[in-house]
Amino acid sequence: MGKPEIYLYASCTSCRKAEDLLNEMGVEATRRDYFKQRFSRDELVDELHRANVSPFDVLSTRSRPYKELDLANRTVSSDELVDLMVEHPQLLKRPLIVKDGRATVGFNRSAIEALIEE
C-alpha cells in the first residue's frame, strides 16, 4: 500500500479538516499546496489519471473562475478544462486525496476514512 497524497490549498477550511483527520488517523501523507506549487499540464493530467478521475469529476462549480468563465453555459472538452485548471487552480475541487489509484475529492469524512483504511 502506497502513502496517500493530499493536494490542497493551505487556507481552505475543508483542506485543513482533511489534514486534521489524516493526523487523527495517524496517517502521514505526501502534501502539496497546488496554489504554491502549481501543476504543470502534464503533472495535472498524470495526477487525474492516477486518481482515475476526469477533470469534470474534480471541477469546482462554486469557484469564482467557474462563474467568471461562465463554464455552466459553455461546452468545453477535457483538454480545454485541464488547460483552464492549470491557469486557474481554483477550478480544482479540494482537497484531492489519492491513494493506490483511488481518490476522494472534497472533505467527506467517511470517504476519506474508507480510502485510507482500504
Side-chain angles (χ1 to χ4, degrees):
M1 288 210 287
K3 185 177 186 180
E5 299 158 54
I6 183 168
Y7 299 93
L8 50 78
Y9 177 43
S11 61
C12 163
T13 304
S14 295
C15 297
R16 288 195 303 268
K17 285 176 16 182
E19 277 197 302
D20 289 346
L21 176 59
L22 292 176
N23 288 335
E24 280 173 33
M25 297 175 74
V27 173
E28 188 180 323
T30 303
R31 178 186 195 275
R32 178 173 179 173
D33 182 332
Y34 61 86
F35 282 69
K36 289 182 180 159
Q37 287 178 272
R38 305 261 303 236
F39 285 113
S40 70
R41 187 183 201 297
D42 288 343
E43 281 179 315
L44 182 55
V45 168
D46 287 348
E47 285 306 323
L48 295 176
H49 181 74
R50 284 186 37 222
N52 203 24
V53 294
S54 82
F56 297 99
D57 295 330
V58 295
L59 177 61
S60 175
T61 57
R62 297 186 316 180
S63 67
R64 181 177 291 144
Y66 181 84
K67 293 174 177 89
E68 289 174 353
L69 296 167
D70 197 28
L71 291 176
N73 298 308
R74 288 174 52 191
T75 302
V76 294
S77 68
S78 289
D79 282 343
E80 289 171 302
L81 190 52
V82 167
D83 290 337
L84 289 170
M85 288 174 163
V86 169
E87 188 177 339
H88 305 278
Q90 303 93 319
L91 287 171
L92 274 165
K93 203 179 288 181
R94 55 193 184 261
L96 172 63
I97 302 174
V98 181
K99 182 178 177 233
D100 299 329
R102 294 187 45 248
T104 183
V105 183
F107 182 77
N108 177 323
R109 183 179 199 91
S110 58
I112 293 170
E113 289 172 343
L115 177 73
I116 298 303
E117 291 169 357
E118 225 173 67

